[in-house]
Amino acid sequence: MQKYSQLITRPGKMQYGILILLAVTVLGGSAWALIKAQQPGAQSIGFLGAYGTAVFILEAISAILLYAHFRRTGMLTFAILSMAYLWVALLAPFQVGLLTDNLETFSLITASTGDAAWLWIAWHLGFPIIITAGMLVDGSYPIVTRKVWRWTIALFGLELLIIGGIISGTLLSWVELPTLISESRAYSDSLSLIYGPAVMFCCALALTVVVVKGKFENEIYAWLSLAMLAALCEAILSIYAGARFSYGWYAARVLSLVSSAAVVVSLLIENIHLQYKVVKQNQTLKRMATMDELSGLANRRELDERLKAEIKRAMRDRTTISMILLDIDKFKQFNDTHGHLIGDLCLKHVAKCLQRNILRHTDLAARYGGEEFAILLPNTSENDAFDLAEHIRKTIAYSPIVMEDGKMLSVTASFGIASLVPSQAEDATELLSIADASLYSAKKAGRNCVQRPSQSWHASRDELEKKVSSNTHYLRGRTVQSGHKR
Ligand SMILES: Nc1nc2c(ncn2[C@@H]2O[C@H](COP(=O)(O)OP(=O)(O)OP(=O)(O)O)[C@@H](O)[C@H]2O)c(=O)[nH]1
């Protein structure tokens, strides 16, 4: 099943531990309850109301969440398991309603409290039978459908028809049903010897099928096993109690709640796991989209995005933005001599040297190309960028790459820097191309050095910046003047 949906998860060791503990509690509690099961108790309408509401809510939530699984995975098993819970969610309120004598006040309803036993049988026979059918549908290859809507209409439509028939038939007394429970609340022989054992048999069968076929291999199947164990114990206690409102009968109702809650718990746990998975996957995707895998630095896409944003900020604040481009010297020769794998090691080593020297959180080091790196330095002057580049150059040149066998290799790198106060978005490209030109002159100057942009570029850029600055003053003046006029 795992291969059909990554949404369905295997329980962890802790969950198995909790399940074993709960199973032992259910078995132990049931055995203990059997001792006093036949002792009569008081009829508590308050308990019945709370019990009926709880069963309805828990079963309805289970049905909705299991149906959501069916929608997501297309697996018919989940549609059928959802039907099982819907079955109980719809029958339980009527059965409990009849027990509390509430429904008899409606003139159309002719059923008596005794008839509630028939609804109990329909509920407790139908639930395990539908669960068994659902588990049998999940063979070694689960049936997966794309026609989710057609299956929904066919399966749930049929189910609603049957439930409608059972409820109307019982409440409106369409058929004369034999009395299963006497006025003294004692069970008839047919309930104790035929219908009761039939319910027990169906619950035992469902439990066996869930355990054998489900093998506790996902959270839903594991918790469903507990639900079926509780349902079996409930049936045994209910019948053994011999009468309504006896201690055994009350204990059976509590077990019925355990059975109802188990799958809700599993689906809740699964949803929590799903949230963790989604958050983790989002983080991985984000990392993959912004990070260079080999060096662990930002990738070119991330550099471009940050550069665009920082250019906008620098334009607004009229601050200097700098860029350092560096390229490992004679890296082709290094690769040819030592091999590609050692070449990769060298790239990682250079990346570490960059990370070690970049201290401001606003600076960004990125792998720009094969053996080329870039460092974006917002709010940094050309002189400061030069000093930093010089410092990194020395770090790379004087810290050797230590191999596994203790051998040491060293490399050098050439650096080009560029700085400007941006006046337009296109200055992002200008910054990179000037840093690239500086890098080119560093290579020409003999490598292992840092170069600044040419004097001619500085001159033309100073001219441009003067114009932009006077233009800004001019525009600011106009704004102030127009403000005065108003
Ligand atoms: N190991 C490794 N090598 C790479 C990677 N990306 C690019 N290279 C190599 O880097 C080398 C770059 O060589 P060139 O562009 O000729 O530059 P160079 O040999 O460094 O020479 P100069 O830049 O002039 O000093 C090529 O041999 C590429 O195969 C990588 O991810 N891993």
Side-chain angles (χ1 to χ4, degrees), residues 237-270:
L237 258 177
S238 285
I239 299 304
Y240 180 74
R244 264 184 199 152
F245 304 111
S246 56
Y247 283 9
W249 184 90
Y250 277 112
R253 303 289 73 75
V254 175
L255 282 169
S256 161
L257 287 178
V258 173
S259 169
S260 303
V263 169
V264 174
V265 171
S266 80
L267 294 166
L268 261 176
I269 295 172
E270 210 173 73

Side-chain angles (χ1 to χ4, degrees), residues 327-328 330-332 335 340 344 367 370-371 443 447:
D327 184 285
I328 303 171
K330 302 199 170 150
F331 193 54
K332 182 171 168 11
N335 259 337
H340 225 75
D344 284 354
R367 188 167 170 212
E371 85 296 14
K443 290 278 179 187
R447 300 182 174 86

